[in-house]
Amino acid sequence: MLESFDLFDCEHTVAAEYLNKHRYPWEVLPDIAELILLIKKRLGAEYAEVSPGVYIHKTAKAALTAFIGAPCIIGAETEVRHCAFIRGNAIIGENCVIGNSTEIKNSILFDGVKAPHYNYIGDSILGYKAHLGAGAVISNVKSLGNEVIAVYDGVKLFTGLKKFGALLGDFAEIGCNCVLNPGTVVGRNSVIYPLSSVRGHIPPDSIYKNKNEIIPKLYKCK
């Protein structure tokens, strides 16, 4: 069984209540638009509705050249850089970086997530302080367009979703120019080597060198 607490410290997202209501984290993905409408009711005066359905903390910074589509919530001290493309249905936490040409749709980013250079994030959940290296992308649709099946501890989990990217545990580190295939689950504190094509479940506290070489990581992030 895979539950939110296996991957995430839900104290680091405004979506905590809703993630904890679901058996599997990906079950929240079809409801992100509705969740934003619920969450926005309890956002404080420090958030401004900068355009219909777009709620940005007053300490966040967004480049004039960035596109931020509704509905969307962006937390305190987050930076949305030049030519970022947030297509909507996005909950982005505090102290995040959404960088040049990074595209996001229908996803939840916990506090401290960094996606600073040429990244694609679709139908995914990125845990606290997860980081995508330059050019790393999360593929969210299988080539044949059929159901995405996740794997966790060797068990196949049928998601019922045709669009589902990845779950990145807290402190996950994804190397430059990686591709995370649909349904990938990366455990807490794990590292993926650059140029990797990854699928399935990467255990927590691991270093992924290739599909045949996954070794224990000897230290943890804080």
Side-chain angles (χ1 to χ4, degrees):
M1 187 171 180
L2 170 61
E3 299 187 56
S4 293
F5 60 76
D6 293 316
L7 295 171
F8 312 123
D9 179 352
C10 285
E11 292 185 4
H12 293 287
T13 177
V14 294
E17 176 184 350
Y18 308 100
L19 281 167
N20 290 330
K21 286 181 178 179
H22 291 276
R23 182 178 184 184
Y24 298 116
W26 61 75
E27 292 177 330
V28 77
L29 294 175
D31 301 324
I32 290 178
E34 289 77 9
L35 294 185
I36 290 172
L37 295 178
L38 294 172
I39 293 169
K40 67 101 172 177
K41 295 178 181 178
R42 55 185 174 84
L43 295 176
E46 63 272 20
Y47 280 83
E49 187 174 9
V50 298
S51 61
V54 176
Y55 307 92
I56 301 181
H57 196 280
K58 293 178 181 179
T59 63
K61 298 178 181 179
L64 294 176
T65 51
F67 176 88
I68 305 175
C72 180
I73 295 173
I74 296 176
E77 303 293 340
T78 285
E79 183 181 359
V80 181
R81 293 177 177 168
H82 171 69
C83 286
F85 182 26
I86 302 173
R87 287 165 52 186
N89 293 356
I91 299 173
I92 298 172
E94 300 179 358
N95 297 294
C96 294
V97 174
I98 311 303
N100 175 30
S101 300
T102 290
E103 180 178 349
I104 300 173
K105 56 89 65 173
N106 201 62
S107 294
I108 298 172
L109 279 59
F110 279 49
D111 299 340
V113 168
K114 302 293 190 293
H117 311 287
Y118 310 104
N119 305 117
Y120 176 74
I121 302 167
D123 302 278
S124 298
I125 303 174
L126 279 61
Y128 179 56
K129 290 192 175 182
H131 174 255
L132 297 181
V137 299
I138 299 175
S139 175
N140 61 332
V141 180
K142 296 178 71 173
S143 297
L144 298 178
N146 51 332
E147 178 185 0
V148 177
I149 299 171
V151 176
Y152 188 75
D153 282 345
V155 178
K156 289 185 177 181
L157 301 171
F158 293 87
T159 68
L161 301 174
K162 291 187 176 181
K163 290 188 176 182
F164 168 37
L167 305 176
L168 304 188
D170 296 342
F171 301 105
E173 181 74 32
I174 311 303
C176 294
N177 291 316
C178 286
V179 175
L180 303 185
N181 288 279
T184 297
V185 179
V186 179
R188 294 176 188 258
N189 199 50
S190 287
V191 173
I192 309 297
Y193 266 28
L195 299 173
S196 298
S197 176
V198 183
R199 66 180 69 249
H201 172 218
I202 310 306
D205 303 306
S206 297
I207 298 175
Y208 179 101
K209 296 186 176 182
N210 57 65
K211 66 180 181 179
N212 298 315
E213 190 174 7
I214 303 173
I215 64 173
K217 185 179 177 185
L218 300 180
Y219 64 93
K220 295 184 179 181
C221 298
K222 296 182 180 179

